[in-house]
Amino acid sequence: MKVVILAGGFGTRISEESHLKPKPMIEIGDRPILWHIMKGYSTYGYNDFIICLGYKAYSIKEFFSSYFLHTSDITLDLAKNSMEIHDNTTEPWRITLVDTGLHTMTGGRIKRIQKYVGNEPFMLTYGDGVSNVNIAALEDFHRSHGKLATLTTINVGQRFGVLDIGEDNTIQAFREKSDADGSMINAGFMVLNPEVFDYIKDDTTVFEQEPLENLSKSGQIMAYKHEGFWQCMDTQRDKKKLEELWLSNQAPWRTW
């Protein structure tokens, strides 16, 4: 099953760093958060990635096209115009990097990579959130209920809009938070059937709005409730928190 990662946004809330690089390339430790996300999927054997690019797309292309330069020691012989790679550190990844447009909305980015996914279920997540969610169990849950979409949900307080979830785990509505809400949010780490592409109109479509709202109205989304670790990197404060966990060897998302 292919893994689609949305990595094209401007990252305006963490502009201290995103003015130089796209948010998925902001480093936790010495690796971009995008790398951490991919390592999490790879732990469970998901190694075929499609990355939706936009803002500063070249920096992501450069990182992966010259991956060994970032991860291995090298010897350059300038006279012979040759290079020797020492202790080559690599990953079993197949990566399709797709420029989905600078101003394309999330739904439009997903629609643009349809030809690379084909007519099969696929994973989808955001390029700025890490978790210790069990990806294999998530896929098993998706295949068990027969609906078109599964969203990983988590309770994170009252920072975000929330989901109304029925007793059978069917997602029934998306709405803004209120003091009475249980604050279950969409944490990404989704599994989608190819029919979901039909719910997306064009580049202006925000996936989290009309497509997910229509899927929920028709009872086609199920919630995979995750009670473990999840953290997005919206702000510099979030980055600092993740960095401290990583450097202290206490990163819960490090499942590899």
Side-chain angles (χ1 to χ4, degrees):
M1 184 178 287
K2 295 180 175 66
V3 180
V4 177
I5 303 178
L6 295 169
F10 287 95
T12 53
R13 285 190 237 176
I14 193 167
S15 59
E16 301 95 329
E17 297 200 43
S18 64
H19 73 288
L20 297 172
K21 63 185 74 172
K23 184 161 68 165
M25 290 303 295
I26 295 174
E27 294 180 343
I28 304 300
D30 60 350
R31 295 286 189 276
I33 191 171
L34 178 59
W35 178 89
H36 290 262
I37 295 167
M38 295 168 72
K39 286 287 285 186
Y41 277 98
S42 188
T43 296
Y44 294 95
Y46 299 86
N47 293 307
D48 195 344
F49 297 96
I50 301 170
I51 304 179
C52 301
L53 309 177
Y55 175 66
K56 296 187 181 297
Y58 176 79
S59 65
I60 298 179
K61 291 180 178 179
E62 187 279 331
F63 177 78
F64 287 111
S65 64
S66 302
Y67 188 76
F68 61 90
L69 291 177
H70 298 276
T71 59
S72 304
D73 296 331
I74 61 172
T75 296
L76 299 172
D77 190 324
L78 300 184
K80 295 181 179 179
N81 191 26
S82 65
M83 177 171 60
E84 180 182 358
I85 303 171
H86 307 284
D87 300 322
N88 189 8
T89 302
T90 188
E91 307 290 346
W93 298 345
R94 182 178 187 270
I95 308 170
T96 303
L97 300 163
V98 184
D99 192 337
T100 55
L102 187 59
H103 299 287
T104 308
M105 298 292 102
T106 50
R109 295 190 192 282
I110 296 166
K111 187 78 169 180
R112 286 200 186 196
I113 55 85
Q114 182 174 2
K115 64 181 179 180
Y116 298 106
V117 170
N119 190 33
E120 60 184 49
F122 62 100
M123 299 275 180
L124 173 71
T125 198
Y126 302 102
D128 63 355
V130 289
S131 177
N132 61 355
V133 62
N134 186 316
I135 303 297
L138 171 63
E139 180 185 351
D140 289 343
F141 175 77
H142 177 77
R143 294 188 182 280
S144 72
H145 59 62
K147 305 290 186 179
L148 296 184
T150 297
L151 275 64
T152 296
T153 62
I154 192 164
N155 189 322
V156 294
Q158 293 296 311
R159 285 182 59 195
F160 303 89
V162 298
L163 312 173
D164 285 340
I165 302 175
E167 292 183 359
D168 63 346
N169 286 337
T170 302
I171 295 177
Q172 300 173 341
F174 289 75
R175 55 191 174 81
E176 294 299 314
K177 63 181 181 291
S178 73
D179 291 339
D181 285 323
S183 65
M184 295 296 291
I185 71 155
N186 171 14
F189 298 94
M190 311 174 212
V191 189
L192 306 173
N193 285 3
E195 291 86 352
V196 168
F197 289 116
D198 297 333
Y199 287 76
I200 302 171
K201 183 180 179 181
D202 55 29
D203 282 358
T204 66
T205 303
V206 177
F207 185 64
E208 297 78 9
Q209 295 178 3
E210 188 174 343
L212 288 186
E213 289 168 359
N214 288 337
L215 283 163
S216 66
K217 288 175 183 177
S218 58
Q220 286 296 324
I221 309 182
M222 297 292 283
Y224 181 77
K225 295 180 179 179
H226 178 56
E227 297 180 354
F229 178 85
W230 175 87
Q231 177 66 54
C232 65
M233 190 182 62
D234 271 344
T235 65
Q236 194 70 27
R237 180 181 179 182
D238 296 331
K239 178 190 183 301
K240 182 179 179 181
K241 177 181 178 180
L242 293 171
E243 183 94 348
E244 288 173 350
L245 288 170
W246 181 259
L247 295 178
S248 63
N249 293 317
Q250 296 179 0
W253 69 90
R254 184 168 189 169
T255 54
W256 57 92

